[in-house]
Each structure stands twice: as C-alpha cells, then as structure tokens.
Amino acid sequence: MSKPTLMRAPKAQDRVHIFDTTLRDGEQAPGFSMSPSEKLEVARMLERVRVDTIEAGFAAASPGDSEAIRLIASEITGPTICSLARAGEADVDAAARALEPARRKRLHVFLATSPIHREAKLKMSRLEVLRAIEKALVHARGRFDEIEFSAEDALRTEPDFLIEAMSCAASFGADVLNVPDTVGVSEPGEIRALFASLAQKVVRPEHVIFSAHCHNDLGLAVANSLAAVQGGARQIECSINGIGERAGNCSLEEVVMALRVRADIFGVDTHLDTTGLWPASQKLTRVTGAALSPNKAIVGKNAFSHEAGIHQHGMLSDRRTYEIMTPESVGSPGSALVLGKHSGKHALTQRLSQLGYQPDPDTLNTTFIAFKAYADEHGEATDADLVALMEQRSQSGCQWTVLRTELRTTTGPKPQQFARVELEHPERGRVSDIASGDGPMASAFAAVQRITGTTATVIGLETRLVNSPAGRDFVAEIRLDLNGKHVSGRARGPDVVTAAIDAFLFTLDRGQAFDTTGEAHPQPAIAV
C-alpha cells in the first residue's frame, strides 16, 4: 500500500472535543431504543449543551436508524452529525445518504484489530485488515467533512499492529483516530501510557487527533477517559447518563465536570454549556423510561442532597463546605436538605421558615422533638409532614383528606382512563367526582381539580417506595404550574396514587396560600 509523506505528533491543544454517542451506542443497548422523533428530542438537548459531534445512529443498521439520522441532520445545525459504518462500501454509502442534509457531516468507520476479533469474528489476517481500512477510507474520501476511524477492541490489540493500523487510517484520510476500550478491560495507568505511546509513534498529519471511547464494565470508563486525555487524547466519546452497551459508556456529565472542576490537574476544558447537563439527563430519562440511581454523580437525585445534621449546618453556613460545584452550574434545580432522623435543628428551622413558619423557641423545641420521633418512624419528613406537625392537620398537610380512589381503564382500539376520587373537607364534608384524562393519574388529578375548583398543570411527578421502621410508604414529589407560577411539594401515602394526590393537594394549598398573601412563591437557595 502506498503512503503519502506525513508529519508526526500534533501540537498541544487545550480543548477536548465531546463526541456524544447517546443516540448510537447508548440507544442500541437493551431497553434504550428510541423512535426517530424521540431521538430528535434528545438531539435538541445535546445541541443546547453544545456537544461538538452527535453520533445520530448507524445508518446501515435499519431503515429507522437511517431515517433518524436524516431527520437529525435536517434539524440540528450546531454540532457535527455523524453516522457509524462498518469498513465496507455499502455501509459508507448508507451513511452518506442519511447524512446528506447535514451542515457538517462525519463518517465513523470501524474495523476490529485485536487477535481475538481478527481470528474469531473477521477471519482476516493483519494484512487483510489493513487493506480493508484502506479500501473503506478511499471509498469515503471527499464525501464527508470529517472521517473518524475506530480500531475496535484496540486495548486488546498488539501495540505494534495498533500503531500500524492507526498510521494506515491516517494516511488514507482519517481526521480522528479512535482507540476504543470496547470491552472495558483497561485501567487508567495502562490507557494513559497507550495514548502517550500512540501520540509519539503513529505517523499522521498535524490536524489528526486521538479519541477515547471507554466502556464501563469495570466501573472505570470515566477514569480511563480522563487518563486518556492526560496521555494525549483530545476527543472523548461519551453518553448522557452513561448509557450504552452492557455496563454503559463514559458518562458525559461526569467527565465534563471532572475536567471543569479539576482544571488544575487536567489543564484542558470543553466548550460545553454545562447548565444544560441536568435538563438533558432528565429528558433522556423521560424518553427512555430508565430511572437514574439516586447517587448518580452530577445528575442523580442525591447529587446535591444532604441529610446529616453536621453537613446541613455546614451547608447553611457556606455551601462550599460540602459541595465542590453548584447545582446551578449543571442546571439542577438546587441543593436539598433532606429532613430525616440525622438532621439537626438548624435545617429544620430553615425549612420551616421557607414554609412560612417562624416558631418561638418553645414551639421550635416541641416541634423538633415531634419531628425527630416522626423521622425515626418514617425515615424522612416531607413538606406536607412538616405542615401537618405545625398545624396538627392530617398527614397530607392540607385541609383535604383522601378517602378513596378508583382507577378504571377501558379496553378496545381506543382505551379510555377514568378516575373516581373521594375527598373530605372539614367544612364541605365528603365530596367525590369522576373525571377522565390522558392516563389514570391524570384522570385522578382532573377529578381533584373539579372537586377543589382549581386549575393546575402537572409539569413533573416522581414517586418512589420508601422502606422505614414503620413499614413501606410511597413518597410523591410534584411540580405544578399555577397560572404561570411553578410550585413544588411532596407528600407520602400508603400507595402511589394516594401519595400523588396528597402531594397534588398540598402543592395546590401551598400555591393558593401565597396567592392569598399576594406574594410570589419563594425560590430558596436550599430547598427540600
């Protein structure tokens, strides 16, 4: 094979490019399939975050993937749009057709290079692999703005052959050389040394950069990606929430914030708008229906939550005592002081103040004792629980009490959902109503609004099971739009529906209380 004369190592760069593969590697994992329209929704969030490249799919894999790539290529104008392709002419042609509308298009062509893949899967010799790389890249030349080559299973490839394969790809037009840890077998020291070696030994034009694509089989995808950057990589391939094959990919939000927070160590940064990270994570969670672990770094529910009294005291004094980044920096709604059995009087006083209470010292002491007893029994006290303690109302924390709910769904080609809800009020007595809606829970909320004579739009609802010494409870967190004003609240109940209705009622009551005083609903820096 003929090779043009090339320059060696590129100049040092202080920017790391972010190549997002949520819609390709992430979407092809079990349980994460998305329709073209859903992919477009996520792509719009990625554009807001300002990722450099969106790998929109694998054009040759299916007509649906090709359609999704073309749709995204037509609608998204910021990032480069990319399609994966095997090292074959048919795949390259499929990628070119799908990417035709893109403002800037990239082909991502891959071929395995490790002995186990060459022998067990490809049935190819080293020379045949090199010839296949050459043929695919020559066929692609001039049809894309950028070409990326991936040596699949690079970390288990013989070092000398990996250098030869990368040099071959660079000589025939690859602008990015991707070194994937396909099976997640590497560790930081090893991968850093490999990238440093490749940077010194691979012959390539000056503009060509190395890319890291790390899988999380040993839980090291983020650590390995950061180590690759230290070894010379200037592109990281990652996904929102770390979704991907098997244990997933490098988590975009984690690696980006690690580079940002520890710029003193890495000396590089990205061009991302990190305030879009939390909304992007939430969007992907809603689209796929795959819930995040509460302790997920950066975007998990507990990432900015604190329950221990000493932590809460520190947070109330100076949030930097226990937070190395602000919730606002990643677009999260805010820090949360979770009021449980480990919480202290400082956190309780602050939360009661946010709920509109200024108890005198004796009342505060009495309430604190009652709060501790409640937390010991139930594990956590919601806003509605605190209002109930202060007002001596029902556990819903408002004047309405849920007596009964019935949910019904009809069968047939156009099923309908209905809910019958019965509430009790100290003045109005028992009141019930039946309503329909777009789903059983929406029907229940519609019935509640008919009973209470209110209008609200649910913009967020999350329920979870809580195991406590008192037994199993459900906690519901809801966010409502009340005439353009966003109000949130939480409540607990013996089942999901009761907890959700109690949270709805409590939040309605809370919003109306502020309307009565003519004041806007407060948005505290630290909110439960």
Side-chain angles (χ1 to χ4, degrees):
M1 295 175 295
S2 60
K3 295 184 181 180
T5 302
L6 303 173
M7 298 176 64
R8 282 191 176 272
K11 296 177 182 178
Q13 297 170 307
D14 62 0
R15 179 186 176 191
V16 171
H17 295 255
I18 296 300
F19 177 105
D20 182 89
T21 188
T22 303
L23 301 177
R24 199 278 299 172
D25 196 321
E27 194 259 353
Q28 72 188 31
F32 290 101
S33 292
M34 293 175 250
S35 67
S37 60
E38 289 172 334
K39 278 193 167 189
L40 180 60
E41 284 187 62
V42 176
R44 287 191 172 121
M45 295 301 298
L46 294 171
E47 184 177 35
R48 175 191 164 185
V49 175
R50 296 207 305 253
V51 301
D52 297 285
T53 302
I54 296 175
E55 189 170 40
F58 188 170
S62 72
D65 242 24
S66 180
E67 177 190 350
I69 295 169
R70 191 172 186 86
L71 178 62
I72 292 168
S74 301
E75 298 284 339
I76 303 299
T77 59
T80 297
I81 308 302
C82 175
S83 172
L84 186 70
R86 290 164 294 198
E89 293 182 359
D91 274 31
V92 173
D93 293 342
R97 288 191 298 270
L99 289 170
E100 189 178 8
R103 179 191 62 83
R104 186 168 182 83
K105 53 183 74 74
R106 176 186 290 193
L107 173 70
H108 181 190
V109 62
F110 73 96
L111 186 63
T113 54
S114 69
I116 190 170
H117 278 256
R118 294 197 311 264
E119 297 164 10
K121 184 176 74 173
L122 300 178
K123 311 296 183 185
M124 295 170 68
S125 67
R126 283 188 176 193
L127 182 58
E128 288 172 322
V129 168
L130 295 176
R131 285 175 174 166
I133 294 171
E134 174 186 354
K135 184 178 180 180
L137 295 185
V138 168
H139 186 69
R141 189 178 292 164
R143 304 172 67 184
F144 304 88
D145 297 293
E146 303 166 358
I147 296 177
E148 175 175 338
F149 171 72
S150 283
E152 186 184 7
D153 205 21
L155 267 294
R156 295 192 295 179
T157 300
E158 307 93 329
D160 65 319
F161 183 57
L162 183 59
I163 292 168
E164 188 175 5
M166 290 295 187
S167 297
C168 173
S171 71
F172 289 103
D175 304 289
V176 179
L177 300 174
N178 186 38
V179 186
D181 183 10
T182 304
V183 294
V185 73
S186 190
E187 58 85 27
E190 178 185 30
I191 205 165
R192 178 178 180 177
L194 175 63
F195 272 88
S197 174
L198 293 174
Q200 290 298 316
K201 297 176 182 178
V202 172
V203 180
R204 66 202 189 278
E206 187 174 3
H207 75 279
V208 174
I209 63 172
F210 287 102
S211 173
H213 181 117
C214 298
H215 278 266
N216 205 40
D217 297 72
L218 294 176
L220 295 172
V222 172
N224 284 341
S225 298
L226 294 171
V229 168
Q230 292 177 314
R234 286 301 176 265
Q235 176 178 282
I236 296 174
E237 306 200 355
C238 45
S239 62
I240 294 292
N241 295 343
I243 69 171
E245 290 282 5
R246 303 181 311 281
N249 288 295
C250 172
S251 168
L252 184 150
E253 56 277 0
E254 293 178 26
V255 78
V256 166
M257 291 311 294
L259 291 174
R260 180 71 51 88
V261 172
R262 296 313 309 269
D264 58 318
I265 292 177
F266 298 106
V268 295
D269 201 359
T270 69
H271 284 186
L272 266 66
D273 177 2
T274 61
T275 62
L277 293 177
W278 192 85
S281 171
Q282 293 296 304
K283 169 65 73 174
L284 182 65
T285 299
R286 289 193 295 271
V287 167
T288 63
L292 279 178
S293 171
N295 64 326
K296 171 72 168 66
I298 313 301
V299 292
K301 181 178 179 60
N302 290 348
F304 298 98
S305 296
H306 312 267
E307 181 179 341
I310 190 170
H311 284 227
Q312 292 178 338
H313 191 188
M315 282 290 294
L316 292 171
S317 301
D318 187 330
R319 66 197 305 175
R320 293 173 299 176
T321 53
Y322 290 104
E323 289 185 353
I324 59 173
M325 68 195 91
T326 66
E328 294 79 11
S329 70
V330 298
S332 177
S335 302
L337 300 189
V338 178
L339 294 180
K341 64 179 182 179
H342 302 107
S343 301
K345 191 176 292 186
H346 291 281
L348 177 64
T349 302
Q350 189 252 14
R351 191 62 195 135
L352 289 175
S353 176
Q354 291 172 355
L355 290 170
Y357 297 101
Q358 300 291 335
D360 58 60
D362 290 339
T363 302
L364 178 60
N365 287 334
T366 302
T367 303
F368 184 65
I369 293 170
F371 156 72
K372 279 289 191 177
Y374 185 87
D376 273 333
E377 184 178 1
H378 296 279
E380 178 185 345
T382 67
D383 289 355
D385 297 330
L386 296 180
V387 172
L389 288 175
M390 294 299 295
E391 301 286 348
Q392 298 300 309
R393 296 180 184 170
S394 68
Q395 284 304 110
S396 70
C398 68
Q399 293 188 358
W400 289 101
T401 301
V402 181
L403 295 181
R404 184 178 181 183
T405 59
E406 295 179 13
L407 305 181
R408 297 180 182 178
T409 300
T410 63
T411 59
K414 293 183 179 180
Q416 293 181 300
Q417 289 80 35
F418 299 90
R420 178 179 181 274
V421 177
E422 184 176 0
L423 305 179
E424 185 173 44
H425 190 274
E427 296 176 1
R428 294 178 57 186
R430 295 189 175 192
V431 185
S432 65
D433 208 325
I434 299 175
S436 62
D438 186 17
M441 200 70 79
S443 302
F445 293 151
V448 170
Q449 292 180 79
R450 288 161 63 104
I451 293 172
T452 59
T454 56
T455 302
T457 301
V458 179
I459 55 178
L461 173 66
E462 180 179 334
T463 61
R464 68 182 188 276
L465 177 65
V466 177
N467 290 311
S468 67
R472 292 155 57 94
D473 280 332
F474 286 88
V475 172
E477 303 185 25
I478 201 166
R479 190 167 175 81
L480 302 181
D481 184 324
L482 299 174
N483 298 319
K485 180 178 62 180
H486 291 181
V487 187
S488 60
R490 297 192 294 174
R492 71 173 64 239
D495 57 77
V496 171
V497 177
T498 302
I501 294 176
D502 272 340
F504 189 90
L505 287 166
F506 168 74
T507 308
L508 279 177
D509 193 53
R510 188 178 183 187
Q512 291 170 335
F514 281 103
D515 284 340
T516 301
T517 62
E519 299 175 2
H521 179 68
Q523 298 294 328
I526 301 175
V528 174

